[in-house]
Every structure is written in structure tokens, then in C-alpha cells.
Amino acid sequence: MMPDAELVAIAGERAVCDMRGVLYFPETDVLAVSDLHLEKGSSLARRGALLPPYDTIATLARLQEALDLYRPRIVVSLGDSFHDGEGAARLHPAFRERLEAMMAGRDWFWIAGNHDPDAPADLPGDTVRELAIGALLFRHEPSRTPVEGEIAGHLHPCARIVQRGRSVRRRCFASDGARMVMPAFGAYTGSLNVLDRAYAGLFRRDSLMAYMMGRDRVFAIAGSMLRPG
């Protein structure tokens, strides 16, 4: 295992929580990533909110780093891969070429999200509502009923702890061992504390763990240490 990652078990399946924000399953050679929100900058610009248009290239560069590290056979993008339904069509040709090069030679699955419910325009890969691989079920939004082995995104989890009077807030992988909600990967994505009511009922509170993404590694933090805000 990489020294900057944390090994976990989800419904009995071993997984690596990587500090780059991806989840890797060594037994099935599957890499999952969530909420890329590619072309969010251009989407906001169309609505008059001008931001530096560098989010797509920054997100793709980090994704390339993770793919080069794990070299997975299967990649699952857990929805909201593009910030809106026309995002794929707005990709600069150089960005499209880079993305297609990442996809080449792999089974690539686009999970439909609430921002991008349809297949991305003119890109390879399979678009599905959800995907079962072994004991795992990949989908965009976590189910409100208990689902063993569910891997989801959508909520953009983060965690906050306070130690020695210092507050630290970071994106995180949230899991109770039965299911996991993944952090948002995109450069322009925000985050929502795992203690927010939006997560109510998703996790067994006595088993909740937040795998917080630090600058150099992932830190496993028990749910009892987490703070709101």
C-alpha cells in the first residue's frame, strides 16, 4: 500500500483511500472517483460568474496522477463527472484528447449524476445508472435505506476536528464499514460536513470513520472525534 493512503474494508472488500481523492480496489483492479465536475468554470461563466478557467485541466492532471499510480483495469466515475449536460461538448480539444488517452485500454463507466444524467457527448465509455461489481454497488446518490457495499458520492463529504485548540477541516472519505461516501474530486467543488443532517441515517454512528485527506497522507479519524461546522 502507498504510504500516503489508508487501507479500509467496505462490506468485506479491501480498498485504498488515496490522498488524491480516489478509491482503489486491488482485488478487482477498480478505481473509483466521484464528482469531477469538469467544465464547472465554463458553466459558471455562462451565468456571469467569472472564475479562472483552469478547473478542468487541474482536475484532469490530478486524475492522471492517480491513474499512473494505480494503473487500474476499470475506472468508475460516480456521477457529476461534468458540471452540466453540455459540459462534455464544451471540452477544449486538448482536454478531450487527454481524457480519451486516459480512458484508452480500460473499461470506463460514467455513472449518471444529477448534474449530468445523460451520456457525455462523443466520449467513449459506458453510461449507467448504477454498477455492481462483486459485493459492491456504485451509484451517484447514496440510498436512504441501508445498502451493504454501496459506494456513492454526491454529498461532497468533509470532516472537522479540533486538537490543541486548532480546528482542521478537510475533505474525507466517510464510511462505517458497510458503505462509503466519497469526497468530491473536482478542483472547484465544495464540501459538506459529515455531521450535517444531509447524512442522517446513512452511517452507523458508533462505526463512522472519516478518512481525512491531509497534505501528505490520509488520516483515519473516529466519528467520536468529529465536530460540526
Side-chain angles (χ1 to χ4, degrees):
M1 188 182 69
M2 305 298 172
D4 52 6
E6 184 74 19
L7 185 63
V8 304
I10 307 165
E13 298 283 341
R14 288 196 313 146
V16 177
C17 296
D18 187 275
M19 61 169 285
R20 295 158 190 83
V22 300
L23 188 65
Y24 178 66
F25 297 89
E27 273 77 28
T28 51
D29 203 12
V30 173
L31 184 142
V33 63
S34 188
D35 295 273
L36 298 170
H37 282 270
L38 297 169
E39 291 301 307
K40 181 173 182 176
S42 64
S43 181
L44 294 176
R46 296 168 75 190
R47 295 165 173 78
L50 299 182
L51 293 172
Y54 306 129
D55 58 307
T56 293
I57 188 58
T59 300
L60 291 179
R62 287 175 46 236
L63 182 56
Q64 182 74 69
E65 183 181 355
L67 293 175
D68 288 345
L69 182 63
Y70 292 102
R71 301 189 179 279
R73 179 175 58 89
I74 301 170
V75 174
V76 182
S77 185
L78 285 177
D80 288 359
S81 303
F82 292 87
H83 191 65
D84 61 54
E86 291 77 45
R90 291 198 307 275
L91 276 175
H92 187 280
F95 299 164
R96 179 180 294 273
E97 182 178 342
R98 183 167 188 175
L99 180 55
E100 289 179 345
M102 293 184 205
M103 300 175 71
R106 296 187 166 100
D107 293 329
W108 194 287
F109 294 94
W110 304 105
I111 303 291
N114 56 296
H115 281 259
D116 56 353
D118 301 315
D122 301 321
L123 281 172
D126 297 306
T127 298
V128 295
R129 300 299 303 177
E130 57 186 34
L131 178 69
I133 300 178
L136 303 173
L137 181 64
F138 298 88
R139 56 162 55 114
H140 179 58
E141 295 190 36
S143 172
R144 285 296 158 185
T145 57
V147 178
E148 190 86 3
E150 181 182 79
I151 312 294
H154 182 61
L155 293 175
H156 300 204
C158 72
R160 176 176 172 263
I161 59 173
V162 178
Q163 290 186 314
R164 300 192 181 106
R166 180 174 174 237
S167 174
V168 178
R169 189 178 190 269
R170 294 284 188 274
R171 298 185 190 195
C172 73
F173 302 82
S175 180
D176 61 358
R179 72 198 319 182
M180 173 171 283
V181 178
M182 291 188 60
F185 192 87
Y188 279 176
T189 51
S191 55
L192 181 66
N193 193 297
V194 294
L195 299 184
D196 188 272
R197 63 183 179 181
Y199 298 88
L202 293 185
F203 303 112
R204 300 187 299 258
R205 289 302 299 269
D206 59 345
S207 304
L208 174 62
M209 295 289 295
Y211 300 97
M212 296 176 68
M213 297 160 54
R215 293 177 181 174
D216 302 310
R217 54 167 290 194
V218 171
F219 297 88
I221 307 296
S224 59
M225 295 183 62
L226 302 180
R227 299 293 179 264

